[in-house]
Amino acid sequence: MTATTQIMTEADTCRELVTPKLVEAGWGNAPHVIGEQRTFTNGRIIVTGGRVRRGKQKRADYLLYYRRDYPLAVVEAKELGLPAETGVQQAKEYAEILGLKFAYATNGHRIIEIDYTTGTEREVDRFATPAELWQRLTAATALPDPATPHLLEPFNLVSGKVPRYYQQIAINRVIEAILLGQKRVLATLATGTGKTCVAFQLCWKLWNSRWNRTGEYRRPKILFLADRNILVDDPMAKMFAPFGDARHKIAGGDVSQSRDMYFGIYQALSTANEDVFRQYRPDFFDLIIIDECHRGSSRNDSNWRAVLDYFAPAVQFGMTATPLREESRDSYEYFGNPVYTYSLRQGIEDGFLAPYRVHRVITTVDAAGWRPSKDELDRFGRPVPDDEYQTKDFERVIALRARTKAIAKHLADFLKGTDRFAKTIVFCVDQEHAAEMRQELVNLNSDLVKQYPDYVCRVTADEGAIGLTHLAHFQDVDKPTPVILTTSQLLTTGVDAEMVKNVVLARVVGSRSEFKQIIGRGTRLKVDYGKEYFNIIDFTGTATRHFADPDFDGDPARIEEVTIDDAGETIESVIETPPGVEEPPADYTVDTTEVDAGQGEIITEPPEEPRKFYVDGGDVEIIGHLVYDLDTDGKKLQVVKYTEYSGRTVRTLYPTRDALQSAWANPDTRAEVLRELTERGISFEELAASADQPDADPFDLLCHLAWNAPLLTRRQRAEQARKAAQDLFGQHGDSAREILTLLLDKYIERGIVQFNALSELMKVQPFDRFGSPSEIATRHFGGIKPFKEAVSRLQTALYQ
């Protein structure tokens, strides 16, 4: 190895060796772009002990673009002194994430090419040219020659927002499917990942490049179709604004046929009196985009299916947030398998979606069931049938006022202990339950309701325009109220409320697709406004059950289980296993019909007799605090105490106590230990509180939990360090020895963390009396380097 090789860093290798070879191959010459150091994820948001930080972003050394918005290959470069093979795995990982068919790993001299179109991996003497890679790609995908302008049409970037990497993949995959003659296309993207952006850019590229299904030189006729006004009005007014006068909404019988970009809801296209859609020719539209396509239009027996059948000649593109399950099988049978899937799990991992913490709250009646006393009468004087009522029955068959009060009290206390202005949606069983929950929450927050009359609002179909106004204010990030919305079905989907911090489940959600839609109400990030994660507060076991399914694609940061009494107070008892919650019976149907005119929820006419039994008396308590976490394989949720989870995690990372001690004693490697533990959700403050060991050193606490090692307090460690470091103290003068002693005192008081901000620590009492940080190092230790060495030796002595 030459001296030059030894001193060349990765940056030097890129600048002096890799970039010139890329330019030589034709990259960097317009229109082919070299993208250097391109970050394509934001880094997962990690919540630890209530504090938030970002994980590591994914960054490619080079992305090679055939056109400005069309990447073809990724290049992973390593410094010259390393083998080129070192970068192969990372190059492949990035290529697969980015949906690219070509990847390169290089150390500047040697180049390894990974070609997914042929399944080969080989060393080459140069980078392929843009034309060579494009020819390989089009040959492998069998795209027709006229496809090029449609695929390479630039995105519309007037808004300044560049589509994220997964949105670009979805757009290109859909266009490829269309160009290959596929008539029905499906893409699955988690709620909050920008399906509307995908739809807009797809339409823009096809419209601007004049694609149409007949091959004529004209702009296509496109219909954006949904089942609620809110799902078409907002995109039409905002995202699709660049289409200008080409836009038209089909409403009120207005069937203008002179535009290109149409918007409509099923209810307006097919009214009770007339099939408005039949005023257009069956072959009028070239492309139909169906938003939230899992909600009925693709079912064989759906009233709305007639619209899609009538416009069968058009290419039909369905978008959904729901992966294949029994309740969404119709969508997959109609559209086929998705051409692209971006899951909730991946969105959280990439840092584009908010992670969440799940609180499982259990009342006594949900845990053990409820049975009426002998000859008990309800609110209307009716005998309550003698039976064992479970969670699935509450508010459907039997309404327990005490249970609603306990839930409301616990939620109010939760907000008081966290943030009383954190936007919260409470999902209730029906509109009546939502009204009762609203009333309880109003009374429990009367101090704020006095100042903000709309602090708590019910938003269901019955509220009509008033409810939609409340919803609009709830969605507005600059309006403080409403803070709490109670609802039943209306807000499960189609509500873009970025500031939702608490999603409360006061009803059983048996449908996986509905559960994912409900969770989606909180997954949007709004970091600038302090929305970095959200809570799922589950009173019915819904979240616990769905998260326990290994097929669920979004793992919680943590699940806590608490128990509360009838006053809504958390009590200390611990439940070792969560109670099972039964699925709703097969004949269970929610209190809605197909939505009408975009309002979202229609409650059936109330029967002459009350629909359920109302019990106003009795006591209900809320009863444990468990932590649900993934096992070491990251696949299965299991119930563990936080202390048990932490010990297991330490053993996974460090098989022996000596391995942990070796990494911990060195200040440089300790930073990596802390990073790994933080990424796994371990907070020392929280751990010390859970273990009731406030004076223990973090290292000793970890060893105690992992290997049952004896616990030492920080004071005991400091005394041991003074004895072990006598030679260190003897090397310095009185002032230096006093400074080192004060550092040990600070360690006793604050723990090892105080060494992480040494320069700041030296500026405050009692260290500031020895001078500035630089004066302390120079005057008392003979320089910055000797000072750092002395502090490092002191830390090592602590853990000998």
Side-chain angles (χ1 to χ4, degrees):
M1 186 180 295
T2 66
T4 303
T5 302
Q6 290 178 337
I7 63 174
M8 281 195 75
T9 64
E10 184 177 304
D12 296 330
T13 303
C14 289
R15 182 177 60 255
E16 298 180 24
L17 299 175
V18 181
T19 301
K21 290 185 177 180
L22 290 171
V23 172
E24 184 181 343
W27 300 98
N29 300 326
H32 313 303
V33 179
I34 299 176
E36 297 187 57
Q37 294 297 309
R38 290 297 174 92
T39 298
F40 55 90
T41 71
N42 282 355
R44 180 182 181 128
I45 290 179
I46 300 165
V47 184
T48 308
R51 293 192 294 272
V52 176
R53 71 177 187 85
R54 285 277 188 181
K56 189 176 180 181
Q57 297 175 313
K58 288 185 170 65
R59 176 181 296 132
D61 291 331
Y62 295 92
L63 282 178
L64 306 181
Y65 293 83
Y66 188 68
R67 292 291 188 273
R68 182 195 73 181
D69 300 322
Y70 201 95
L72 278 184
V74 62
V75 179
E76 179 61 28
K78 297 299 179 183
E79 60 189 73
L80 184 58
L82 295 175
E85 288 82 0
T86 308
V88 167
Q89 192 56 45
Q90 191 169 341
K92 291 177 67 175
E93 178 191 355
Y94 286 179
E96 290 164 15
I97 292 174
L98 295 168
L100 302 177
K101 298 297 183 183
F102 309 103
Y104 291 94
T106 180
N107 62 359
H109 282 171
R110 295 174 57 233
I111 303 170
I112 297 174
E113 179 186 79
I114 301 105
D115 186 337
Y116 285 88
T117 67
T118 59
T120 59
E121 183 178 312
R122 61 197 178 102
E123 186 168 344
V124 295
D125 56 6
R126 65 176 179 83
F127 292 102
T129 67
E132 288 169 343
L133 289 190
W134 180 252
Q135 191 279 327
R136 286 194 229 170
L137 179 66
T138 53
T141 54
L143 287 168
D145 289 339
T148 300
H150 309 309
L151 273 174
L152 301 182
E153 178 67 30
F155 294 125
N156 184 304
L157 303 181
V158 171
S159 67
K161 292 184 178 180
V162 179
R164 294 168 176 165
Y165 81 87
Y166 62 86
Q167 294 170 337
Q168 295 185 30
I169 298 172
I171 294 162
N172 290 331
R173 293 273 176 87
V174 173
I175 292 177
E176 288 174 11
I178 292 173
L179 295 175
L180 288 170
Q182 197 168 322
K183 298 289 290 185
R184 295 173 181 170
V185 186
L186 179 66
T188 300
L189 294 101
T191 300
T193 55
K195 292 192 294 294
T196 305
C197 172
V198 169
F200 165 68
Q201 295 291 359
L202 170 70
C203 292
W204 183 262
K205 285 167 75 81
L206 294 178
W207 187 72
N208 240 29
S209 64
R210 285 175 164 75
W211 166 87
N212 58 76
R213 58 183 179 77
T214 63
E216 304 169 32
Y217 187 72
R218 63 172 176 83
R219 296 190 191 276
K221 301 285 188 182
I222 303 173
L223 171 63
F224 187 96
L225 185 61
D227 66 350
R228 298 186 182 185
N229 278 315
I230 194 172
L231 295 179
V232 297
D233 291 345
D234 198 60
M236 179 179 173
K238 297 176 184 177
M239 187 73 75
F240 285 79
F243 280 95
D245 292 338
R247 294 168 298 166
H248 175 71
K249 184 178 179 182
I250 305 171
D254 185 354
V255 292
S256 170
Q257 301 188 12
S258 60
R259 311 294 180 87
D260 294 329
M261 190 71 232
Y262 294 80
F263 298 82
I265 62 172
Y266 295 101
Q267 299 90 328
L269 290 174
S270 181
T271 67
N273 302 320
E274 168 186 26
D275 284 340
V276 176
F277 64 87
R278 297 186 187 278
Q279 297 187 39
Y280 295 90
R281 300 187 318 275
D283 62 353
F284 181 80
F285 294 109
D286 296 286
L287 173 66
I288 298 178
I289 298 175
I290 305 100
D291 193 15
E292 305 291 358
C293 66
H294 65 279
R295 284 216 304 272
S297 58
S298 55
R299 292 202 313 265
N300 288 324
D301 59 350
S302 170
N303 295 331
W304 300 336
R305 176 67 171 272
V307 176
L308 298 186
D309 288 342
Y310 181 79
F311 292 120
V315 174
Q316 297 178 7
F317 167 45
M319 299 188 299
T320 180
T322 307
L324 176 60
R325 304 286 296 191
E326 285 303 319
E327 62 267 25
S328 61
R329 190 169 298 281
D330 289 314
S331 299
Y332 285 72
E333 289 177 352
Y334 184 81
F335 289 102
N337 288 327
V339 295
Y340 184 66
T341 296
Y342 188 73
S343 68
L344 177 63
R345 180 199 298 271
Q346 192 61 52
I348 293 174
E349 184 64 33
D350 287 344
F352 297 127
L353 294 180
Y356 45 92
R357 172 173 284 185
V358 183
H359 303 262
R360 172 68 175 104
V361 185
I362 308 169
T363 73
T364 49
V365 294
D366 288 280
W370 181 85
R371 188 171 184 173
S373 58
K374 183 176 175 58
D375 300 326
E376 182 160 358
L377 303 180
D378 81 341
R379 182 185 303 165
F380 299 98
R382 299 174 302 168
V384 180
D386 185 19
D387 202 350
E388 289 284 353
Y389 297 97
Q390 306 295 331
T391 301
K392 63 182 176 58
D393 302 313
F394 298 138
E395 303 305 325
R396 285 187 59 246
V397 180
I398 194 85
L400 300 179
R401 188 68 180 265
R403 178 176 179 267
T404 300
K405 286 185 174 182
I407 290 173
K409 176 66 165 58
H410 184 268
L411 176 59
D413 288 346
F414 179 85
L415 292 177
K416 289 174 183 176
T418 53
D419 178 3
R420 295 188 75 184
F421 284 88
K423 295 295 179 78
T424 302
I425 302 179
V426 185
F427 289 95
C428 302
V429 173
D430 55 23
Q431 298 194 59
E432 187 177 34
H433 187 211
E436 189 171 282
M437 187 68 71
R438 186 203 69 84
Q439 182 181 345
E440 294 295 338
L441 288 167
V442 164
N443 293 333
L444 289 165
N445 294 281
S446 57
D447 57 329
L448 287 179
V449 173
K450 184 188 303 183
Q451 185 177 359
Y452 302 98
D454 61 348
Y455 179 78
V456 187
C457 296
R458 185 182 79 154
V459 176
T460 66
D462 278 0
E463 276 74 42
I466 295 175
L468 293 179
T469 300
H470 289 321
L471 176 58
H473 291 168
F474 181 82
Q475 292 172 288
D476 190 334
V477 296
D478 294 319
K479 290 188 181 296
T481 58
V483 171
I484 306 173
L485 296 187
T486 66
T487 188
S488 55
Q489 299 288 320
L490 185 60
L491 304 183
T492 57
T493 187
V495 177
D496 187 3
E498 297 169 301
M499 288 304 295
V500 172
K501 291 186 177 181
N502 299 306
V503 174
V504 182
L505 300 174
R507 66 174 171 91
V508 174
V509 183
S511 162
R512 172 57 54 84
S513 61
E514 184 184 15
F515 175 69
K516 290 180 69 66
Q517 293 288 346
I518 287 174
I519 296 309
R521 299 313 101 214
T523 54
R524 287 171 173 82
L525 280 170
K526 200 69 176 174
V527 176
D528 293 345
Y529 285 77
K531 163 69 184 301
E532 296 164 316
Y533 69 98
F534 70 104
N535 296 294
I536 300 169
I537 306 171
D538 178 16
F539 290 92
T540 65
T542 290
T544 307
R545 184 178 65 255
H546 284 307
F547 288 142
D549 188 329
D551 292 334
F552 190 80
D553 67 352
D555 303 313
R558 191 163 102 217
I559 301 182
E560 298 180 11
E561 189 160 318
V562 299
T563 343
I564 58 178
D565 59 20
D566 57 338
E569 303 286 346
T570 299
I571 62 178
E572 296 182 356
S573 60
V574 175
I575 299 173
E576 292 301 330
T577 56
V581 179
E582 299 179 34
E583 292 284 345
D587 61 349
Y588 173 43
T589 55
V590 295
D591 188 21
T592 61
T593 62
E594 284 192 333
V595 291
D596 174 67
Q599 294 304 308
E601 181 181 21
I602 299 295
I603 190 167
T604 54
E605 287 296 321
E608 293 183 5
E609 288 293 322
R611 293 180 298 119
K612 48 193 173 185
F613 295 93
Y614 300 83
V615 178
D616 294 333
D619 294 324
V620 174
E621 299 180 357
I622 292 190
I623 49 175
H625 196 141
L626 292 181
V627 178
Y628 285 59
D629 266 299
L630 294 173
D631 61 13
T632 53
D633 295 327
K635 294 180 180 179
K636 182 182 177 182
L637 282 170
Q638 55 187 12
V639 185
V640 294
K641 293 181 180 178
Y642 187 47
T643 51
E644 293 172 355
Y645 164 73
S646 300
R648 190 184 65 217
T649 301
V650 170
R651 289 194 300 272
T652 301
L653 294 171
Y654 302 94
T656 66
R657 184 182 184 278
D658 289 343
L660 175 62
Q661 183 169 9
S662 176
W664 189 274
N666 186 320
D668 296 328
T669 55
R670 187 191 311 132
E672 179 63 17
V673 176
L674 294 172
R675 184 192 66 79
E676 288 180 329
L677 293 175
T678 299
E679 286 187 353
R680 287 159 177 80
I682 295 176
S683 160
F684 290 120
E685 294 90 342
E686 206 166 336
L687 194 58
S690 298
D692 195 24
Q693 296 291 341
D695 298 324
D697 182 272
F699 170 76
D700 291 299
L701 188 53
L702 292 175
C703 291
H704 178 69
L705 296 175
W707 298 286
N708 201 30
L711 267 175
L712 293 179
T713 65
R714 292 192 296 274
R715 183 173 298 280
Q716 288 172 319
R717 277 218 169 267
E719 292 303 324
Q720 289 184 5
R722 284 191 178 93
K723 296 176 182 177
Q726 287 183 0
D727 59 334
L728 171 64
F729 282 83
Q731 293 175 10
H732 298 285
D734 292 342
S735 296
R737 288 197 297 271
E738 187 175 355
I739 292 170
L740 293 174
T741 300
L742 288 172
L743 280 173
L744 285 177
D745 292 340
K746 282 295 179 184
Y747 160 76
I748 295 172
E749 177 186 339
R750 298 175 53 192
I752 198 67
V753 69
Q754 57 106 21
F755 288 104
N756 296 340
L758 198 59
S759 60
E760 295 300 316
L761 183 65
M762 293 294 107
K763 295 178 182 178
V764 299
Q765 294 180 346
F767 300 98
D768 57 348
R769 61 188 172 88
F770 295 95
S772 67
S774 60
E775 289 174 337
I776 290 174
T778 305
R779 185 184 306 166
H780 304 295
F781 289 87
I784 294 177
K785 185 177 179 181
F787 174 59
K788 288 185 175 180
E789 288 177 351
V791 174
S792 179
R793 288 180 60 188
L794 185 65
Q795 293 182 68
T796 302
L798 279 168
Y799 297 103
Q800 285 182 350

